Amino acid sequence: TGSLTYKNKFLGIDGAPETKSFSIHTPIQAQSMGLGFKAMLDKTGVTNQTSLTAIYAYHLRLATGKLSLGLEGGLFNQAADFTNLTRTDQTDEALPLNKENVMTPDAAFGIYYHSNKFYAGASAYHLLQSRINYTGYKRDPVTQLSVHYFLTGGYSINAGENIRIDPSVLSKYVPGAPLQIDMNVNATLKEMFTIGGGHRTGDAIVFLFQYTFKQRLQFSYAYDYSISELASYNNGSHGIMLSYNIPVKK
């Protein structure tokens, strides 16, 4: 399966976050494992963050479902163009004057269980907590990658012959920042059309539409309506995803 995603947050604010990603993964059923690759670009203000990672997963049959253990590793690059900063103090020597670029190793780990009706998972990113040091900066280090923690779960309910209801929850935590929780409910008709909505604490109300063609081609669109203190300064956020699934022979 290959996927392309794009998200543009807080439209109307200069330098607002923008994320692009590509991922591809495949099962290797004879060895009960999976392999994947992911490339991601995050742009916020004068800072660009790029990551290139390889992914390995091992699958175990457990009760009526499957337990998966995943490990991700690769390179993380952070680049900042300090020439585009608006400086209130033109003689501030603490800030670099040029473009800076730092590359460092990165790793993540996750565990995921799913059956026909239920799923749950947990993961942690930036496990190495790598230091980001700019050569032109007077402090050491400039910053350090914090571990990002994720916890998710969901349940599938048959509401009719061709209708499925899927409530889910996703919690996100980074040390030094408030805990954020996404609570969502999606409804799927004939395994083809999905509409849904949710609430992201302290951030937005989310609306979702998804179309699946013959369980191969999938298009998703999401709109976030801001409810935070930034609501008066932006026009919400847009996200799209396009994925294609190539069936694997058993």
Side-chain angles (χ1 to χ4, degrees):
T1 301
S3 299
L4 288 168
T5 63
Y6 173 79
K7 185 162 188 178
N8 194 343
K9 289 182 65 69
F10 308 138
L11 292 179
I13 297 179
D14 291 338
E18 183 179 357
T19 301
K20 303 172 185 177
S21 68
F22 168 76
S23 65
I24 187 169
H25 62 89
T26 182
I28 302 178
Q29 296 180 345
Q31 284 78 36
S32 298
M33 66 182 188
L35 298 176
F37 170 81
K38 184 173 71 176
M40 182 173 291
L41 171 63
D42 279 317
K43 182 177 181 180
T44 304
V46 300
T47 303
N48 288 336
Q49 295 181 345
T50 306
S51 62
L52 298 173
T53 55
I55 304 168
Y56 171 83
Y58 186 73
H59 308 298
L60 298 168
R61 290 291 178 183
L62 182 63
T64 59
K66 181 186 292 185
L67 179 68
S68 300
L69 305 173
L71 184 63
E72 180 178 342
L75 296 174
F76 177 89
N77 178 268
Q78 180 164 293
D81 186 358
F82 290 97
T83 62
N84 284 333
L85 287 178
T86 301
R87 299 169 183 263
T88 57
D89 183 356
Q90 301 299 324
T91 62
D92 187 355
E93 296 182 356
L95 291 176
L97 299 175
N98 304 307
K99 298 179 180 179
E100 298 285 345
N101 198 325
V102 177
M103 183 173 290
T104 184
D106 199 15
F109 174 79
I111 182 170
Y112 181 75
Y113 175 81
H114 73 93
S115 63
N116 290 334
K117 294 290 185 180
F118 170 79
Y119 71 86
S123 62
Y125 281 78
H126 300 319
L127 290 176
L128 302 181
Q129 301 185 62
S130 300
R131 296 157 66 94
I132 305 296
N133 294 294
Y134 295 136
T135 56
Y137 205 84
K138 302 303 181 183
R139 287 194 300 123
D140 181 31
V142 175
T143 187
Q144 186 172 9
L145 297 179
S146 297
V147 181
H148 289 51
Y149 300 95
F150 299 86
L151 183 65
T152 187
Y155 194 80
S156 182
I157 303 170
N158 290 325
E161 184 177 354
N162 295 311
I163 301 176
R164 188 182 75 245
I165 306 297
D166 298 301
S168 64
V169 62
L170 169 66
S171 61
K172 297 167 281 186
Y173 176 70
V174 182
L179 173 70
Q180 190 173 74
I181 300 177
D182 290 21
M183 295 168 285
N184 308 286
V185 177
N186 295 336
T188 301
L189 175 64
K190 295 182 178 181
E191 300 294 335
M192 184 180 298
F193 299 100
T194 299
I195 58 173
H199 173 246
R200 182 178 304 120
T201 57
D203 184 24
I205 302 295
V206 181
F207 304 93
L208 168 74
F209 170 78
Q210 182 172 280
Y211 172 70
T212 304
F213 180 72
K214 293 185 177 181
Q215 296 185 344
R216 288 197 180 187
L217 182 65
Q218 189 175 80
F219 171 80
S220 305
Y221 169 77
Y223 174 74
D224 298 358
Y225 177 78
S226 296
I227 58 174
S228 68
E229 296 180 358
L230 293 175
S232 301
Y233 306 97
N234 76 92
N235 299 316
S237 306
H238 298 276
I240 59 174
M241 182 183 75
L242 182 66
S243 62
Y244 185 76
N245 177 52
I246 301 174
V248 177
K249 294 182 179 181
K250 294 185 179 181

